Amino acid sequence: MTRRFPLALLLLLLAATGFGQTHGGLMPFTIMEYNCENLFDCRHDSLKEDTEFLPDGERRWGKSRYWRKLNDIGRVIHQCGDNNGRRHLPDLVALVEVENDSVMHTLTRRSMLREAGYRYVMTQSPDRRGIDVALLYNPLTFALIAQDRLRVTPPKGEQPTRDILYVKGRTRTDDTLHVFVVHAPSRSGGWKATERYRMTVAQRIISTLDSIRTQRNDANIIIAGDFNDYSYNKPLMLLCDRGMTDLSAKTAGKRAKGTYKHHGRWNSLDHILLSATLVPRVTGCRIHDPLWLLESDTRGGYKPRRTYLGTYYHGGVSDHLPLVLELGL
């Protein structure tokens, strides 16, 4: 009698092995970062200000829109595993702007991503709207060792922001990785006026970096997320001064020159930074910008097709584009 592998197990094996192939003697390891633009569920959390994302809220956020967005994000993650005809699902996926554990459970267990076998860890932040960050990981290629949620003390007069997610794990090539997922405070109120808050986030990361390097100076470190700053702004420069390299600083896609477009100009608020030990292992870094994530820009070219324009439902996936970084381990 012929025995059949469960589909979920088969996909996990394919994702873990890259169809059994190495490239130049190296095992591929793919990291993806994506701001999901307000991935809320349709239920009210009495402790958070989430009423705009309810069926009877001002955005009319109902189940059909919610499920469409979940499956679209799953589709994006699947596509980010395709590179030059080679299939390898991302090993780590850093997601920004996700509401809660319910959303992440539904994304990984009930959406079109359910057969990929991802597990996840996430924060439970004091952000007033309930916004958090999460990390999906393939348990066959990344074994979780430890996790922590780094609280950021807001400057006087500022609202609480998102926690920083810290995850430590080991790859199938026996490399230990220290991963940070970040969603820094927004520029609402003005870039200069809010920069001090984002500097506080950078300094919180650095304090943990220093602790890690006290134990091992050559630690493999990855920092990914939406920093709400560009590579030439002080928070990113501060991290780079502490031995990190912004691999996404000059990254582009086929159509996009950044992950975010503001007033007709491309730039990147999203970043992936690596420690010096990992930089030589980079085999590629790109912005994933297929046409279905974009729309025409009246100022020229394309821009991300977002979910909402104000409170008007626009039907896109996100106002950001995903970053994809590939390592050879």
Side-chain angles (χ1 to χ4, degrees):
M1 182 177 69
T2 301
R3 298 185 64 182
R4 298 176 61 187
F5 278 97
L7 181 58
L9 177 59
L10 179 60
L11 285 173
L12 264 177
L13 290 171
L14 294 177
T17 61
F19 288 112
Q21 297 178 356
T22 62
H23 303 273
L26 300 175
M27 285 287 189
F29 192 87
T30 304
I31 303 150
M32 173 186 167
E33 184 276 340
Y34 194 31
N35 182 319
C36 301
E37 189 198 342
N38 294 317
L39 181 55
F40 280 79
D41 62 20
C42 306
R43 295 179 294 182
H44 178 46
D45 182 343
S46 60
L47 301 178
K48 300 295 182 179
E49 298 177 16
D50 63 352
T51 54
E52 62 180 316
F53 283 96
L54 295 175
D56 58 352
E58 60 181 333
R59 295 178 186 262
R60 302 296 177 186
W61 185 242
K63 287 186 177 180
S64 62
R65 293 177 178 181
Y66 174 52
W67 278 101
R68 176 179 175 178
K69 180 149 181 155
L70 283 172
N71 284 316
D72 281 344
I73 290 171
R75 180 184 175 190
V76 172
I77 293 171
H78 270 285
Q79 286 189 346
C80 284
D82 289 323
N83 187 25
N84 297 323
R86 179 172 59 84
R87 182 107 177 127
H88 179 84
L89 286 176
D91 300 278
L92 300 177
V93 182
L95 295 181
V96 174
E97 288 198 17
V98 294
E99 185 186 15
N100 53 33
D101 185 81
S102 173
V103 168
M104 294 306 303
H105 178 83
T106 306
L107 176 66
T108 56
R109 297 293 180 265
R110 298 182 62 196
S111 77
M112 70 160 291
L113 200 62
R114 63 188 178 276
E115 300 291 355
Y118 281 117
R119 297 178 185 172
Y120 66 89
V121 289
M122 69 179 305
T123 57
Q124 293 180 327
S125 302
D127 179 84
R128 61 185 179 82
R129 297 177 63 232
I131 290 292
D132 281 297
V133 300
L135 182 72
L136 306 185
Y137 65 95
N138 181 341
L140 293 184
T141 63
F142 184 81
L144 186 67
I145 297 173
Q147 60 176 297
D148 198 4
R149 298 165 179 85
L150 309 180
R151 186 61 47 91
V152 179
T153 302
K156 185 177 180 180
E158 298 287 355
Q159 295 287 332
T161 191
R162 279 75 59 173
D163 290 345
I164 301 162
L165 179 63
Y166 165 71
V167 177
K168 179 181 179 182
R170 185 172 292 111
T171 70
R172 56 187 163 152
T173 52
D174 206 31
D175 290 283
T176 298
L177 301 180
H178 302 266
V179 185
F180 295 82
V181 185
V182 183
H183 186 193
S186 76
R187 294 183 163 211
S188 178
W191 156 69
K192 195 64 180 177
T194 57
E195 185 180 58
R196 62 175 184 147
Y197 205 169
R198 293 188 295 280
M199 284 292 288
T200 301
V201 171
Q203 290 161 351
R204 183 69 178 89
I205 297 170
I206 286 170
S207 67
T208 307
L209 290 183
D210 290 344
S211 297
I212 293 169
R213 286 168 171 162
T214 298
Q215 301 297 320
R216 181 163 182 168
N217 191 49
D218 61 347
N220 298 315
I221 300 167
I222 302 165
I223 308 173
D226 179 355
F227 286 78
N228 272 306
D229 269 316
Y230 304 129
S231 57
Y232 51 79
N233 291 138
K234 287 182 180 179
L236 271 300
M237 293 178 68
L238 183 63
L239 289 168
C240 290
D241 287 343
R242 292 302 184 99
M244 302 300 296
T245 300
D246 187 356
L247 267 294
S248 50
K250 297 181 180 180
T251 300
K254 295 179 180 178
R255 304 167 185 89
K257 297 179 181 179
T259 62
Y260 189 79
K261 200 171 191 183
H262 182 63
H263 294 322
R265 296 184 62 181
W266 285 107
N267 216 315
S268 289
L269 298 174
D270 305 272
H271 303 270
I272 299 177
L273 296 88
L274 300 181
S275 60
T277 53
L278 289 176
V279 172
R281 306 187 190 189
V282 174
T283 58
C285 187
R286 69 186 191 277
I287 295 170
H288 183 63
D289 60 349
L291 282 173
W292 73 279
L293 290 180
L294 304 168
E295 63 181 346
S296 296
D297 187 351
T298 57
R299 298 172 186 258
Y302 296 95
K303 62 181 179 181
R305 180 174 173 82
R306 58 190 305 163
T307 306
Y308 278 91
L309 294 173
T311 57
Y312 169 75
Y313 181 66
H314 194 53
V317 184
S318 177
D319 54 348
H320 289 242
L321 294 172
L323 279 170
V324 184
L325 177 72
E326 295 172 331
L327 300 174
L329 301 180

